[in-house]
mmCIF file of all heavy atoms in Angstrom:
data_model
loop_
_atom_site.group_PDB
_atom_site.id
_atom_site.type_symbol
_atom_site.label_atom_id
_atom_site.label_comp_id
_atom_site.label_asym_id
_atom_site.label_seq_id
_atom_site.Cartn_x
_atom_site.Cartn_y
_atom_site.Cartn_z
ATOM 1 N N HIS S 175 29.791 68.182 72.660
ATOM 2 C CA HIS S 175 30.446 67.782 73.962
ATOM 3 C C HIS S 175 29.596 66.844 74.716
ATOM 4 O O HIS S 175 30.047 65.761 75.149
ATOM 5 C CB HIS S 175 30.721 69.089 74.743
ATOM 6 C CG HIS S 175 31.741 68.858 75.847
ATOM 7 N ND1 HIS S 175 32.139 69.877 76.683
ATOM 8 C CD2 HIS S 175 32.520 67.818 76.195
ATOM 9 C CE1 HIS S 175 33.047 69.448 77.476
ATOM 10 N NE2 HIS S 175 33.343 68.210 77.227
ATOM 11 N N SER S 182 29.756 57.828 75.416
ATOM 12 C CA SER S 182 30.788 57.053 76.166
ATOM 13 C C SER S 182 30.092 56.117 77.152
ATOM 14 O O SER S 182 28.782 56.197 77.203
ATOM 15 C CB SER S 182 31.710 58.027 76.886
ATOM 16 O OG SER S 182 31.052 58.442 78.076
ATOM 17 N N ARG S 184 29.782 56.425 80.103
ATOM 18 C CA ARG S 184 29.082 57.258 81.158
ATOM 19 C C ARG S 184 27.613 57.550 80.749
ATOM 20 O O ARG S 184 26.876 58.017 81.617
ATOM 21 C CB ARG S 184 29.826 58.547 81.445
ATOM 22 C CG ARG S 184 31.142 58.256 82.112
ATOM 23 C CD ARG S 184 31.665 59.393 82.935
ATOM 24 N NE ARG S 184 32.988 58.988 83.408
ATOM 25 C CZ ARG S 184 33.644 59.609 84.397
ATOM 26 N NH1 ARG S 184 33.124 60.602 84.993
ATOM 27 N NH2 ARG S 184 34.808 59.176 84.755
ATOM 28 N N ASN S 194 28.823 60.410 89.158
ATOM 29 C CA ASN S 194 29.115 61.719 89.726
ATOM 30 C C ASN S 194 27.871 62.615 89.517
ATOM 31 O O ASN S 194 27.027 62.371 88.586
ATOM 32 C CB ASN S 194 30.260 62.426 89.015
ATOM 33 C CG ASN S 194 31.611 61.798 89.321
ATOM 34 O OD1 ASN S 194 31.775 61.106 90.313
ATOM 35 N ND2 ASN S 194 32.567 62.030 88.398
ATOM 36 N N LYS S 218 31.396 64.060 93.660
ATOM 37 C CA LYS S 218 32.190 62.910 93.151
ATOM 38 C C LYS S 218 31.759 61.634 93.947
ATOM 39 O O LYS S 218 31.910 61.574 95.161
ATOM 40 C CB LYS S 218 33.700 63.163 93.364
ATOM 41 C CG LYS S 218 34.165 64.303 92.494
ATOM 42 C CD LYS S 218 34.526 63.768 91.142
ATOM 43 C CE LYS S 218 35.368 64.831 90.351
ATOM 44 N NZ LYS S 218 35.921 64.263 89.124
ATOM 45 N N TRP S 284 35.199 73.999 82.929
ATOM 46 C CA TRP S 284 36.371 74.760 83.287
ATOM 47 C C TRP S 284 37.546 73.748 83.536
ATOM 48 O O TRP S 284 37.377 72.961 84.480
ATOM 49 C CB TRP S 284 36.161 75.561 84.601
ATOM 50 C CG TRP S 284 35.054 76.518 84.608
ATOM 51 C CD1 TRP S 284 34.266 76.982 83.567
ATOM 52 C CD2 TRP S 284 34.600 77.327 85.715
ATOM 53 N NE1 TRP S 284 33.427 77.923 83.925
ATOM 54 C CE2 TRP S 284 33.545 78.160 85.249
ATOM 55 C CE3 TRP S 284 34.990 77.368 87.020
ATOM 56 C CZ2 TRP S 284 32.841 79.032 86.136
ATOM 57 C CZ3 TRP S 284 34.279 78.280 87.946
ATOM 58 C CH2 TRP S 284 33.236 79.066 87.443
ATOM 59 N N HIS S 286 40.291 71.522 84.909
ATOM 60 C CA HIS S 286 40.714 71.317 86.296
ATOM 61 C C HIS S 286 42.070 71.865 86.556
ATOM 62 O O HIS S 286 42.347 72.328 87.677
ATOM 63 C CB HIS S 286 40.693 69.872 86.677
ATOM 64 C CG HIS S 286 39.343 69.227 86.729
ATOM 65 N ND1 HIS S 286 39.017 67.981 86.198
ATOM 66 C CD2 HIS S 286 38.173 69.675 87.267
ATOM 67 C CE1 HIS S 286 37.742 67.722 86.368
ATOM 68 N NE2 HIS S 286 37.211 68.742 87.027
ATOM 69 N N GLN S 425 36.853 71.035 73.441
ATOM 70 C CA GLN S 425 36.666 70.224 74.662
ATOM 71 C C GLN S 425 36.223 68.791 74.347
ATOM 72 O O GLN S 425 36.771 67.858 75.032
ATOM 73 C CB GLN S 425 35.700 70.935 75.572
ATOM 74 C CG GLN S 425 36.304 72.270 76.130
ATOM 75 C CD GLN S 425 35.647 72.797 77.418
ATOM 76 O OE1 GLN S 425 34.630 72.302 77.811
ATOM 77 N NE2 GLN S 425 36.255 73.826 77.941
ATOM 78 N N LYS S 432 42.436 62.884 75.498
ATOM 79 C CA LYS S 432 43.221 62.966 76.710
ATOM 80 C C LYS S 432 42.579 62.243 77.886
ATOM 81 O O LYS S 432 43.267 61.580 78.697
ATOM 82 C CB LYS S 432 43.257 64.520 77.129
ATOM 83 C CG LYS S 432 44.050 64.834 78.365
ATOM 84 C CD LYS S 432 43.959 66.252 78.686
ATOM 85 C CE LYS S 432 43.528 66.429 80.207
ATOM 86 N NZ LYS S 432 43.273 67.765 80.696
ATOM 87 N N VAL S 433 41.248 62.276 77.972
ATOM 88 C CA VAL S 433 40.558 61.692 79.146
ATOM 89 C C VAL S 433 40.190 60.237 78.913
ATOM 90 O O VAL S 433 40.425 59.385 79.850
ATOM 91 C CB VAL S 433 39.308 62.492 79.515
ATOM 92 C CG1 VAL S 433 38.638 61.870 80.706
ATOM 93 C CG2 VAL S 433 39.691 63.952 79.819
ATOM 94 N N GLU S 438 37.579 52.773 76.213
ATOM 95 C CA GLU S 438 36.464 53.692 76.228
ATOM 96 C C GLU S 438 36.251 54.387 74.905
ATOM 97 O O GLU S 438 35.162 54.612 74.430
ATOM 98 C CB GLU S 438 36.587 54.752 77.396
ATOM 99 C CG GLU S 438 35.163 55.398 77.631
ATOM 100 C CD GLU S 438 35.119 56.178 78.870
ATOM 101 O OE1 GLU S 438 36.158 56.393 79.476
ATOM 102 O OE2 GLU S 438 33.978 56.510 79.268
HETATM 103 P P1 NDP B 501 40.888 66.298 83.735
HETATM 104 O O1 NDP B 501 41.747 65.214 83.150
HETATM 105 O O2 NDP B 501 41.467 67.126 84.807
HETATM 106 O O3 NDP B 501 39.535 65.690 84.184
HETATM 107 C C1 NDP B 501 38.837 64.845 83.317
HETATM 108 C C2 NDP B 501 37.424 64.690 83.917
HETATM 109 O O4 NDP B 501 36.709 63.879 83.027
HETATM 110 C C3 NDP B 501 37.352 64.025 85.245
HETATM 111 O O5 NDP B 501 36.585 64.798 86.086
HETATM 112 C C4 NDP B 501 36.709 62.697 84.977
HETATM 113 O O6 NDP B 501 35.787 62.368 86.009
HETATM 114 C C5 NDP B 501 35.895 62.992 83.749
HETATM 115 N N1 NDP B 501 35.649 61.896 82.818
HETATM 116 C C6 NDP B 501 36.331 60.786 82.582
HETATM 117 N N2 NDP B 501 35.727 60.074 81.550
HETATM 118 C C7 NDP B 501 34.626 60.811 81.205
HETATM 119 C C8 NDP B 501 33.603 60.578 80.259
HETATM 120 N N3 NDP B 501 33.579 59.505 79.531
HETATM 121 N N4 NDP B 501 32.644 61.466 80.190
HETATM 122 C C9 NDP B 501 32.669 62.588 80.966
HETATM 123 N N5 NDP B 501 33.619 62.853 81.853
HETATM 124 C C10 NDP B 501 34.580 61.949 82.020
HETATM 125 O O7 NDP B 501 40.486 67.165 82.391
HETATM 126 P P2 NDP B 501 40.060 68.684 82.183
HETATM 127 O O8 NDP B 501 39.498 69.390 83.354
HETATM 128 O O9 NDP B 501 41.267 69.335 81.482
HETATM 129 O O10 NDP B 501 38.976 68.439 81.073
HETATM 130 C C11 NDP B 501 39.134 67.644 79.892
HETATM 131 C C12 NDP B 501 37.856 67.068 79.456
HETATM 132 O O11 NDP B 501 37.285 66.286 80.557
HETATM 133 C C13 NDP B 501 36.783 68.145 79.245
HETATM 134 O O12 NDP B 501 36.810 68.648 77.966
HETATM 135 C C14 NDP B 501 35.546 67.431 79.575
HETATM 136 O O13 NDP B 501 35.097 66.773 78.367
HETATM 137 C C15 NDP B 501 35.967 66.379 80.587
HETATM 138 N N6 NDP B 501 35.491 66.756 81.932
HETATM 139 C C16 NDP B 501 35.967 67.872 82.557
HETATM 140 C C17 NDP B 501 35.412 68.285 83.755
HETATM 141 C C18 NDP B 501 35.792 69.554 84.316
HETATM 142 O O14 NDP B 501 34.982 70.084 85.134
HETATM 143 N N7 NDP B 501 36.892 70.141 84.050
HETATM 144 C C19 NDP B 501 34.315 67.494 84.337
HETATM 145 C C20 NDP B 501 34.009 66.278 83.681
HETATM 146 C C21 NDP B 501 34.533 65.974 82.485
HETATM 147 P P3 NDP B 501 36.278 61.432 87.231
HETATM 148 O O15 NDP B 501 37.460 62.117 87.873
HETATM 149 O O16 NDP B 501 35.139 61.432 88.219
HETATM 150 O O17 NDP B 501 36.555 60.091 86.704
#
Side-chain angles (χ1 to χ4, degrees):
H175 199 180
S182 78
R184 292 204 185 196
N194 289 341
K218 294 275 195 172
W284 300 355
H286 292 136
Q425 291 198 353
K432 180 186 130 187
V433 179
E438 193 167 15

